[in-house]
Amino acid sequence: MSDAPTTVPTAVDFWFDPVCPWTWLTSRWMFEVRKARPVEITWHVMSLAVLNERRLDQLPPANRELMGQAWAPVRVLIAAQEAYGPGVLEPLYTALGTRYHPQGLPKNRATIEAALREAGLPEHLAEAGDTDTYDSVLRRSHQEGITLVGQEVGSPIIAVPGPDSGDRIAFFGPVVTPTPRGEQAARLWDGTLAVASTPGFYEIKRTRTVGPIFD
């Protein structure tokens, strides 16, 4: 038997809305982090449509249109999770996000059905996008993430274990473009954990000068 010490992976909870391009970039960063650091990612669905439903009239027209398109994919993700377990979220999110963002395909039922096929899931799950059958589960999942960080954020939300047993540290972001790779991704992870775990730390921000870059 080996006496080498074992490293317990850091449990990472990641809340995402698949229509958000910035969340897509952050999620692909987490894939890079997973290659370089011992992390175990659990994916959770949140909803920008739910987050913004009471302030739609304050959004620009393009954003209001996006919020209308945002209901179907999160409903389908929740339906898939309920039918087949949380393990389907990662492959289905990857299939959806690849189509929505790098490929720029429309956020319609045909795209959802194609993503379901790629993820090895039945196409009939796309029907959930047109109903509110799973909305209570969706809202509960969304609220679990928002409760950790407050209403003044968006997607994504990341939570990791805190210094005290049972405690969690959660934060919005990081917002990055393009996705950091390799050791750069690992360094950003280390730094993000360092600032997020500092008592009393709340925010670092600067104006975005470029849009999402999908490499």
Side-chain angles (χ1 to χ4, degrees):
M1 180 180 295
S2 172
D3 293 328
T6 58
T7 301
V8 177
T10 299
V12 179
D13 290 287
F14 191 109
W15 279 264
F16 67 94
D17 186 312
V19 303
C20 175
W22 299 101
T23 300
W24 173 253
L25 293 167
T26 306
S27 70
R28 301 312 98 175
W29 165 66
M30 283 305 312
F31 276 33
E32 292 291 309
V33 171
R34 189 164 60 185
K35 298 175 186 177
R37 296 290 186 268
V39 299
E40 185 174 310
I41 308 168
T42 300
W43 303 91
H44 306 269
V45 182
M46 66 179 296
S47 171
L48 292 176
V50 171
L51 185 68
N52 290 291
E53 63 184 343
R54 295 184 180 179
R55 53 190 179 198
L56 282 176
D57 59 339
Q58 302 172 28
L59 300 178
N63 287 15
R64 288 200 297 272
E65 181 181 3
L66 179 61
M67 292 306 97
Q69 298 169 336
W71 281 105
V74 291
R75 285 168 166 167
V76 171
L77 280 156
I78 291 293
Q81 173 187 277
E82 291 296 286
Y84 297 99
V88 303
L89 292 181
E90 181 175 310
L92 182 52
Y93 176 32
T94 293
L96 281 168
T98 299
R99 286 164 172 78
Y100 288 160
H101 306 304
Q103 296 180 9
L105 296 178
K107 298 174 180 64
N108 58 21
R109 178 158 175 165
T111 300
I112 290 175
E113 289 176 346
L116 287 165
R117 289 195 299 270
E118 180 181 322
L121 296 166
E123 289 183 32
H124 71 74
L125 287 171
E127 298 171 5
D130 299 323
T131 75
D132 61 1
T133 302
Y134 295 95
D135 281 12
S136 61
V137 183
L138 169 63
R139 290 176 183 276
R140 185 162 61 247
S141 178
H142 173 85
Q143 192 59 40
E144 286 172 356
I146 289 295
T147 298
L148 294 172
V149 291
Q151 292 286 338
E152 297 178 6
V153 300
S155 175
I157 295 169
I158 296 175
V160 296
D164 299 323
S165 177
D167 191 20
R168 301 289 281 167
I169 298 169
F171 49 88
F172 160 65
V175 176
V176 291
T177 189
T179 296
R181 306 289 180 182
E183 185 56 29
Q184 185 182 51
R187 288 198 305 269
L188 177 58
W189 175 250
D190 296 341
T192 300
L193 292 186
V195 297
S197 62
T198 300
F201 175 83
Y202 290 104
E203 186 173 358
I204 287 178
K205 191 171 184 178
R206 61 181 176 182
T207 299
R208 302 177 199 175
T209 57
V210 295
I213 301 171
F214 307 118
D215 53 357

